[in-house]
Amino acid sequence: MGSDIIEYFQNENQFLKTAHVKSIPIFLSQLNLVPKFTITIPTFNRPELLREALESGINQTNFTDYEIIVVDNNPERDCDTEQLMSKYRNTNISYYKNSENIGMFGNWNRCYELARSEWVCMLHDDDKLATSYLNDLYKIIKSKSNIGFISCRLQLLIQSDLKTSIYIMRKFKKCTREVLDVFLPKITKIKDTDYLFGFKTYIVGSCIKREHAIDLGGFNSTTFPSSDYYFTVKFQYEYNNIYFLKKKNYIYRILDNESMNPITSSKFI
């Protein structure tokens, strides 16, 4: 069993799988200094949802030391997404197009490669950040010396049929019980044993030290559909410096998409 555990947690460089694909800079940030944070938004053919996600990144309050990078996985030029992004030529926004579609997790990895900052928050193109997101994270980082990963409570925004919504609410409530409000402080360090009792940290709503994500080899598409959770468990195993912010600082949108596909759901199990 020991050899199996070592193999499960070994770090394989996932970035090499897409190294041959270029990300074309359509326009770049005009920031002269390397920022503290990067909000990265991987996207594919969802311009209206992307607009909301991007606006939530732009509208951060009481904090300015950050950049936003949108990485478009659709190589088609002058598509709806590119037309939308042309309206956001801002001093701290960069927009890239991959020369070919490299898959969801390939695009996640590309986001970390293109980021310049010490800390990276990956914002999905159908989700939103609370306006206080970066300011809250910066306060945590200043107060904790050994920290590499900050996860936060999610606020659900459900836009799917009633049956699906009920299923999701039951599942989510079980995973993030409100009892946390009683027993956990505002900020708590995650322990290995927390994962044994159903506690979960995800990539959504999380901010991660870029160098750690690179050293771990990025996200592994072969562990679909749990690649994000697999990554966080590996992170805990390797670094043991994940913290959880109890505040609902990330708005997670529930849609009738691939995650709700019965085949995908069975693969989660």
Side-chain angles (χ1 to χ4, degrees):
M1 176 178 286
S3 60
D4 292 338
I5 293 175
I6 294 173
E7 182 179 351
Y8 183 81
F9 285 105
Q10 71 180 358
N11 298 332
E12 180 184 353
N13 191 338
Q14 302 299 314
F15 301 101
L16 293 177
K17 295 180 179 180
T18 57
H20 63 286
V21 179
K22 294 182 178 180
S23 292
I24 303 167
I26 307 303
F27 61 83
L28 296 175
S29 161
Q30 300 174 27
L31 291 177
N32 294 322
L33 300 177
V34 176
K36 185 72 173 178
F37 293 92
T38 299
I39 298 173
T40 63
I41 310 178
T43 190
F44 182 79
N45 290 349
R46 296 203 283 194
E48 283 306 310
L49 294 174
L50 171 62
R51 180 183 59 79
E52 294 185 43
L54 186 56
E55 290 285 348
S56 75
I58 293 171
N59 294 327
Q60 292 297 294
T61 56
N62 301 317
F63 194 83
T64 58
D65 190 11
Y66 70 100
E67 66 178 354
I68 300 174
I69 296 178
V70 177
V71 186
D72 191 351
N73 215 10
N74 177 9
E76 177 190 357
R77 292 304 309 270
D78 200 34
C79 64
D80 291 342
T81 300
E82 185 170 346
Q83 292 180 28
L84 169 70
M85 290 304 302
S86 67
K87 303 174 184 177
Y88 289 95
R89 288 181 176 267
N90 191 293
T91 54
N92 70 332
I93 298 177
S94 296
Y95 173 52
Y96 291 85
K97 263 188 172 294
N98 295 330
S99 58
E100 63 182 78
N101 189 320
I102 55 178
M104 179 171 67
F105 297 112
N107 204 26
W108 288 15
N109 289 331
R110 184 55 53 88
C111 285
Y112 278 88
E113 288 183 289
L114 293 173
R116 301 183 300 149
S117 60
E118 179 184 6
W119 291 90
V120 178
C121 159
M122 190 166 62
L123 171 61
H124 290 185
D125 64 358
D126 57 343
D127 297 335
K128 296 188 287 186
L129 299 176
T131 56
S132 62
Y133 181 85
L134 289 181
N135 188 46
D136 289 339
L137 296 190
Y138 183 62
K139 291 177 180 178
I140 296 172
I141 290 169
K142 287 199 303 182
S143 66
K144 307 288 184 183
S145 57
N146 177 33
I147 185 169
F149 187 125
I150 307 171
S151 181
C152 70
R153 181 77 61 81
L154 306 181
Q155 176 182 334
L156 289 185
L157 176 60
I158 300 177
Q159 293 180 316
S160 64
D161 64 80
L162 182 60
K163 182 178 179 180
T164 300
S165 299
I166 293 173
Y167 167 77
I168 293 171
M169 287 298 292
R170 287 175 176 171
K171 182 178 179 181
F172 191 81
K173 186 176 181 180
K174 182 178 180 181
C175 295
T176 57
R177 298 181 187 280
E178 293 302 319
V179 72
L180 291 172
D181 287 329
V182 178
F183 293 106
L184 289 182
K186 182 178 179 182
I187 304 167
T188 185
K189 187 174 186 294
I190 302 301
K191 304 183 296 295
D192 293 348
T193 52
D194 291 330
Y195 289 93
L196 300 178
F197 293 98
F199 189 86
K200 292 178 173 64
T201 50
Y202 297 99
I203 297 303
V204 293
S206 297
C207 193
I208 301 172
K209 265 195 173 179
R210 179 182 179 273
E211 63 176 350
H212 289 349
I214 298 294
D215 289 344
L216 282 180
F219 301 94
N220 189 340
S221 61
T222 63
T223 58
F224 175 85
S226 300
S227 299
D228 56 344
Y229 184 59
Y230 170 72
F231 176 89
T232 64
V233 173
K234 279 183 62 180
F235 198 104
Q236 173 69 10
Y237 176 82
E238 186 75 25
Y239 299 110
N240 189 29
N241 60 4
I242 299 179
Y243 282 77
F244 178 73
L245 172 64
K246 197 168 61 177
K247 182 177 180 180
K248 292 182 178 180
N249 243 356
Y250 188 97
I251 301 166
Y252 181 65
R253 195 190 305 261
I254 303 294
L255 297 167
D256 289 317
N257 55 21
E258 179 63 26
S259 295
M260 295 300 103
N261 186 316
I263 296 177
T264 303
S265 298
S266 66
K267 289 182 179 179
F268 276 116
I269 298 174

